[in-house]
Amino acid sequence: MKVVEILFYNSHRVKLVVEMPDPNKYSTRHSPHIPGLLFKLLPQLARHRCENDGGYSFKKECQSTEIPHLFEHLIIELQARAQPSGILKGETQWNWRVDPKGRFHVYVDYENEVLVLGAIRVAERIINALDNRSIEDIDMDKEIENLKMLAKLGSDLQKFRVSTCTP
Ligand SMILES: [Zn+2]
């Protein structure tokens, strides 16, 4: 899975364009090992709420869902672990009548723009490590520590604004 575009959609929401390298392998139905490994890495994800057509719990939904949808929940979870915030929401959409198959549009709320960029990159790495069955490459505690540092940097930056404009 690859994030090909990051757009700061408005002051609290980021939009990502995500592409699957194999457009026919976009669901956990095609990669059933991914959700199991993901909940092993971050058991708290099981508490996530998720609105889906079947009315399933997020954990049940994960057995058959789009991989970018897991990615969306992961970005939300990583932000929550790094910095207390209000409820952050997300949404995953696709329309393959318009876009090539395997492209997704993922929307995620944020409060701290530096943190959300870090969380997107870490989440992308985690999803790819899960896909390759190499979760030993992910040091979750260290990743969260790094994200906490980014969160602090981001909130320090929000305290002041400087304009330096040169031709
Ligand atoms: Zn969801």
Side-chain angles (χ1 to χ4, degrees):
M1 196 199 72
K2 190 162 172 48
V3 176
V4 296
E5 201 175 308
I6 300 175
L7 177 79
F8 281 86
Y9 196 65
N10 62 33
S11 59
H12 67 277
R13 186 158 260 216
V14 68
K15 179 194 168 179
L16 311 170
V17 180
V18 170
E19 289 178 355
M20 303 304 292
D22 179 347
N24 294 312
K25 282 181 69 185
Y26 59 84
S27 165
T28 53
R29 267 177 291 122
H30 313 128
S31 309
H33 60 287
I34 292 182
L37 292 173
L38 181 64
F39 286 108
K40 205 165 150 185
L41 200 63
L42 283 164
Q44 311 79 333
L45 275 171
R47 291 201 299 265
H48 274 218
R49 290 180 52 153
C50 182
E51 276 174 36
N52 48 71
D53 295 340
Y56 301 131
S57 70
F58 179 58
K59 201 166 182 181
K60 177 122 198 286
E61 166 77 2
C62 281
Q63 303 311 312
S64 173
T65 195
E66 298 71 34
I67 292 164
H69 178 214
L70 297 190
F71 174 63
E72 170 214 312
H73 277 262
L74 193 49
I75 298 168
I76 291 171
E77 177 65 23
L78 291 170
Q79 291 185 90
R81 297 284 296 277
Q83 174 184 284
S85 70
I87 293 183
L88 301 174
K89 292 186 177 173
E91 217 175 298
T92 298
Q93 302 173 351
W94 63 98
N95 181 350
W96 295 335
R97 278 174 302 187
V98 177
D99 289 328
K101 190 176 179 189
R103 182 180 295 169
F104 290 84
H105 301 264
V106 176
Y107 298 81
V108 185
D109 288 348
Y110 70 89
E111 286 185 0
N112 181 321
E113 62 187 32
V114 179
L115 171 60
V116 74
L117 280 174
I120 290 163
R121 285 309 184 203
V122 175
E124 185 181 24
R125 245 183 308 125
I126 290 176
I127 292 286
N128 288 324
L130 297 176
D131 194 17
N132 300 329
R133 300 169 204 268
S134 53
I135 53 168
E136 62 285 350
D137 293 351
I138 303 287
D139 182 341
M140 210 55 234
D141 292 340
K142 192 152 174 240
E143 296 290 3
I144 299 293
E145 274 319 300
N146 286 340
L147 289 175
K148 282 183 177 166
M149 280 189 326
L150 284 182
K152 167 131 191 0
L153 184 71
S155 48
D156 288 348
L157 284 173
Q158 277 164 357
K159 286 176 196 148
F160 62 92
R161 289 240 174 249
V162 184
S163 299
T164 314
C165 312
T166 49

